[in-house]
Amino acid sequence: MDTVNRRSEDQARVQEFFGARADAWDEKFPEDGPAFTTAVAELGIGPGDRVLDAGCGTGRALTPLRAAVGSSGTVLGADLTERMLAAARRAGRGADGTLLRADVARLPLRDGALDAVFAAGLIAHLPEPAANLRELARVVRPGGRLALFHPIGRAALAARHGRELTPDDLRAEHNLGPLLSGSGWEMTSYADEDARFLVLAVRRA
């Protein structure tokens, strides 16, 4: 199968999975808001910064991102699934950022356009993690920041899905550190706790 067809199939699977769950997504996870706010605070962005919520889903990070960058900053939310973006609009989160239907593997942004990327629940759904993380690095200036976040840790998430953690888990520190390093990032902190998963990285020059 060629690369274009494989990418199309990957996109179709993601859209089918998240599209079917979009309308009830916020109701299913009603208590995640504070965790998003805390994670955004640790990303270290400030007034005037330009930030992307990559794979923004229903836009739960957009409000704290807007609060962090203020009216002079830029907030973008990109997601492949239109029904997720529609849910974000219905929740009023389109007021906090510009919503784009876009594949994070091929972002419609110039090189170095951003100061930071926030990505909640994204890493496990990337079809080509190294290439996709390189694309996120492309659109961030040298010294810019990346946050890979999930409102619960790896063990809790595995239990929720009825599976066990294995050494080849992409988000394990021994796997994720080298993956980030090979994709233009340098991991600066790693937290995998019951109540959150948060990895911070800096874009190398």
Side-chain angles (χ1 to χ4, degrees):
M1 182 183 299
D2 62 42
T3 301
V4 173
N5 286 339
R6 185 171 63 250
R7 182 181 297 123
S8 295
E9 288 197 2
D10 289 336
Q11 291 177 341
R13 280 194 294 270
V14 168
Q15 289 172 304
E16 181 180 3
F17 179 87
F18 287 103
R21 293 161 174 79
D23 292 344
W25 192 263
D26 286 356
E27 295 175 10
K28 188 174 182 181
F29 306 108
E31 299 177 356
D32 286 349
F36 274 80
T37 299
T38 299
V40 167
E42 294 193 41
L43 179 56
I45 53 177
D49 280 347
R50 305 155 297 171
V51 60
L52 169 69
D53 183 0
C56 67
T58 62
R60 291 179 293 173
L62 295 179
T63 299
L65 288 171
R66 172 56 67 191
V69 304
S71 59
S72 62
T74 299
V75 177
L76 304 174
D79 202 277
L80 188 61
T81 305
E82 178 57 39
R83 288 185 66 179
M84 280 289 193
L85 295 173
R89 294 187 191 98
R90 285 196 303 274
R93 294 169 183 146
D96 293 314
T98 300
L99 296 171
L100 306 171
R101 185 177 178 274
D103 185 354
V104 299
R106 301 179 71 181
L107 290 164
L109 299 170
R110 62 178 173 79
D111 294 359
L114 303 172
D115 297 295
V117 171
F118 184 87
L122 179 69
I123 186 72
H125 297 285
L126 294 177
E128 300 177 67
N132 301 153
L133 288 168
R134 281 195 298 272
E135 173 66 357
L136 294 181
R138 180 188 69 79
V139 301
V140 173
R141 62 169 176 79
R145 298 167 179 266
L146 171 69
L148 301 176
F149 168 70
H150 199 283
I152 59 175
R154 293 190 308 128
L157 185 62
R160 176 186 288 176
H161 293 159
R163 59 178 176 80
E164 294 184 358
L165 287 177
T166 62
D168 62 354
D169 180 7
L170 183 65
R171 295 183 305 159
E173 186 172 8
H174 64 268
N175 294 324
L176 189 53
L179 176 63
L180 286 166
S181 183
S183 304
W185 300 97
E186 197 64 43
M187 188 165 69
T188 58
S189 68
Y190 181 95
D192 181 20
E193 305 158 358
D194 287 345
R196 70 164 185 170
F197 174 87
L198 180 64
V199 172
L200 300 177
V202 172
R203 172 71 164 93
R204 292 203 307 271

